[in-house]
Amino acid sequence: MTDHTASSGPILPYVLVLYYSRQGATRTLAEQLASGVESVSGIEARLRTVPAVSPVSEATAPEIPDQGAIYVEEADLRHCSGLALGSPTRFGNMAAPLKYFLDTTSGLWMNGALVDRPATAFTSTASLHGGQESTLLTMLIPLLHHGMVYAGVPYSETTLLSTQSGGTPYGTSHLAGPNGDREVDADERRLAFAQGRRLAELALALTSMRSARA
């Protein structure tokens, strides 16, 4: 996958895989989902993250994170062909840093920049019933306000029927355990990969639809 900080040759359409991660599990899901995107010919994945939100107004994040993806810019979202949004659960909702970024995108909403682009979401929780589904559903709300087309994980992905850890039809999820140290398992990886692949295929199809309509 590419971070698109530099490019040579023709620029392919891309899916923006945007996430916030504290312990690394959500980042792992993001990377697996990006691999699913890039298993589809003709489209790329662009991994981006968001800085933490500090309760101290003077605190600022470094321009480049110490590890992982670079910070997202509005242009990354404006020009994407699809969006995958990932966050750990915070009281059944997405984490504040990701919500903060989405709250700054009203300009894109006013211009309809994201209308008819596919989107999906993924999450991680400490406990199996710690708010996975509610977090995914609340992440869906701003995407619908932007006019995006939401794509979850269909039950044709039979791993949904056998997983003993994460996995929902609303999006891939991960059970991190009470100490946040449980590794993303094979079922969760398989679902994230399938979710990314489906999103990429929809992104290409909807891009063609928008082009034909223009």
Side-chain angles (χ1 to χ4, degrees):
M1 67 199 69
T2 176
D3 65 7
H4 288 258
T5 53
S7 179
S8 60
I11 298 176
L12 292 176
Y14 64 89
V15 167
L16 176 61
V17 183
L18 177 61
Y19 69 92
Y20 176 71
S21 184
R22 287 294 298 273
Q23 304 295 330
T26 309
R27 175 184 169 188
T28 298
L29 288 179
E31 292 169 344
Q32 190 69 11
L33 196 144
S35 295
V37 169
E38 297 208 331
S39 71
V40 177
S41 178
I43 194 165
E44 296 178 338
R46 183 177 295 193
L47 276 167
R48 293 290 187 268
T49 189
V50 292
V53 174
S54 172
V56 182
S57 60
E58 291 82 4
T60 57
E63 291 186 5
I64 301 176
D66 293 333
Q67 60 181 352
I70 64 175
Y71 293 132
V72 69
E73 296 180 355
E74 185 187 87
D76 294 317
L77 183 57
R78 179 184 297 275
H79 300 298
C80 73
S81 295
L83 171 66
L85 205 59
S87 172
T89 290
R90 295 291 184 267
F91 300 108
N93 207 329
M94 77 179 86
L98 196 61
K99 176 69 163 55
Y100 180 83
F101 172 75
L102 292 175
D103 285 347
T104 70
T105 62
S106 58
L108 299 181
W109 170 75
M110 292 179 67
N111 293 319
L114 302 178
V115 170
D116 289 340
R117 298 171 198 269
T120 198
F122 54 100
T123 191
S124 174
T125 60
S127 60
L128 189 58
H129 302 290
Q132 292 183 355
E133 294 183 351
S134 64
T135 297
L136 292 166
L137 290 170
T138 56
M139 292 168 76
L140 161 65
I141 294 171
L143 305 180
L144 291 178
H145 275 264
H146 272 291
M148 305 191 84
V149 180
Y150 193 78
V153 180
Y155 275 95
S156 55
E157 298 299 333
T158 56
T159 303
L160 278 180
L161 298 169
S162 60
T163 178
Q164 297 296 306
S165 52
T168 83
Y170 313 110
T172 301
S173 58
H174 166 64
L175 172 61
N179 298 317
D181 56 0
R182 181 181 174 278
E183 297 291 331
V184 178
D185 69 21
D187 285 344
E188 295 163 343
R189 288 177 180 273
R190 190 176 297 113
L191 289 169
F193 185 93
Q195 187 176 6
R197 183 174 180 85
R198 184 183 190 218
L199 185 63
E201 291 171 343
L202 289 170
L204 289 174
L206 289 174
T207 296
S208 297
M209 182 198 75
R210 293 194 305 274
S211 297
R213 193 172 58 194

